[in-house]
Amino acid sequence: MFYSIPLLVRAIRLWWRELLFLLVLNVLWLIAQLTLVLGPPMTVSLYVVARKVMQGELVDFRDITGALRQHLAAAWAWGALQVIVYGVLGFNLFFYASAHGQLVLILRYAWTLLLLAWFTLNLYYWPLYLAQEDRRMTTTLSNAGKMILLNPRFTLVYSLLALFLIAVSIFSGFLLGAVMMAWLALWGNLVVADRLAARRPKSETQEGRPR
């Protein structure tokens, strides 16, 4: 249940190995979020670099530009979906914040749970996208949903710890600009690799990939 914590510790160790490069990349990621258009491509680029770090490969800025070219369309499609889902659910919570009644209360709980579910799906999204052969958005979202259903307690701890890290990063400011997204990307890749290995039949080779 708490196995996601050692994976976070391992992610931090990997981050330390590529400290300077990942510090710069995290700052670039944060700046990209301010432009909106560059935000999603930089997010997937960071996950690509994190996956290479996890696999023990050398990384440099060519990995970023290569990821931007290769995954640009997929990143923008994912980003547009984030705007729609978070926009609709956030608007509903804000618009009905002062409303009263049992039905409104039930809807608030439902919208909040949907927000948390969507947040959790996205923790798995890019690591799964990079690990699988079929990289369609529908396939990746479906696999993320399966990951949640197959690992409910693990996912609960993972998502709550990720929310805590994000909250601390936002309120501290420093973690947000320096390490947060790099840690999440490394951690997410490690989590998905671990969960896939746990579900993989023993007879299957390590090169087996999800479809």
Side-chain angles (χ1 to χ4, degrees), residues 81 125 132 134-145:
L81 190 58
Y125 186 88
Q132 63 196 23
D134 183 350
R135 290 180 169 176
R136 288 175 297 177
M137 180 181 290
T138 52
T139 302
T140 309
L141 288 173
S142 174
N143 285 338

Side-chain angles (χ1 to χ4, degrees), residues 89-101 104-105 107-108 111-112:
L89 293 175
F91 174 80
N92 287 343
L93 286 170
F94 176 79
F95 187 80
Y96 292 99
S98 59
H100 301 284
V104 174
L105 181 63
L107 287 173
R108 280 202 203 108
W111 293 329
T112 301

Side-chain angles (χ1 to χ4, degrees), residues 150-161:
L150 290 171
N151 306 277
R153 291 185 297 173
F154 181 99
T155 297
L156 178 62
V157 175
Y158 173 42
S159 60
L160 289 177
L161 285 173

Side-chain angles (χ1 to χ4, degrees), residues 29 31-45 75-76 78:
W29 173 85
I31 295 172
Q33 305 315 301
L34 302 177
T35 70
L36 295 180
V37 174
L38 293 176
M42 277 303 297
T43 298
V44 66
S45 297
W76 278 341
W78 172 82

Side-chain angles (χ1 to χ4, degrees), residues 7-139:
L7 292 175
L8 174 58
V9 173
R10 186 180 169 197
I12 295 172
R13 289 175 178 169
L14 288 172
W15 169 83
W16 183 258
R17 195 182 74 196
E18 297 288 345
L19 174 63
L20 293 178
F21 182 72
L22 291 177
L23 279 175
V24 172
L25 185 53
N26 203 106
V27 172
L28 290 176
W29 173 85
L30 184 61
I31 295 172
Q33 305 315 301
L34 302 177
T35 70
L36 295 180
V37 174
L38 293 176
M42 277 303 297
T43 298
V44 66
S45 297
L46 206 156
Y47 273 96
V48 168
V49 170
R51 181 174 173 82
K52 287 179 177 292
V53 172
M54 178 190 73
Q55 294 173 334
E57 299 179 31
L58 296 176
V59 291
D60 57 32
F61 286 102
R62 287 174 296 183
D63 294 303
I64 301 173
T65 56
L68 287 172
R69 289 194 300 268
Q70 184 178 358
H71 305 292
L72 188 62
W76 278 341
W78 172 82
L81 190 58
Q82 304 311 300
V83 172
I84 294 170
V85 174
Y86 282 120
V88 170
L89 293 175
F91 174 80
N92 287 343
L93 286 170
F94 176 79
F95 187 80
Y96 292 99
S98 59
H100 301 284
Q102 186 174 8
L103 178 60
V104 174
L105 181 63
I106 293 172
L107 287 173
R108 280 202 203 108
Y109 281 125
W111 293 329
T112 301
L113 288 174
L114 285 173
L115 276 173
L116 292 173
W118 185 250
F119 168 79
T120 305
L121 275 174
N122 281 286
L123 288 176
Y124 286 124
Y125 186 88
W126 287 118
L128 278 170
Y129 170 89
L130 296 171
Q132 63 196 23
E133 294 176 356
D134 183 350
R135 290 180 169 176
R136 288 175 297 177
M137 180 181 290
T138 52
T139 302

Side-chain angles (χ1 to χ4, degrees), residues 131 145 162 175:
L175 292 179

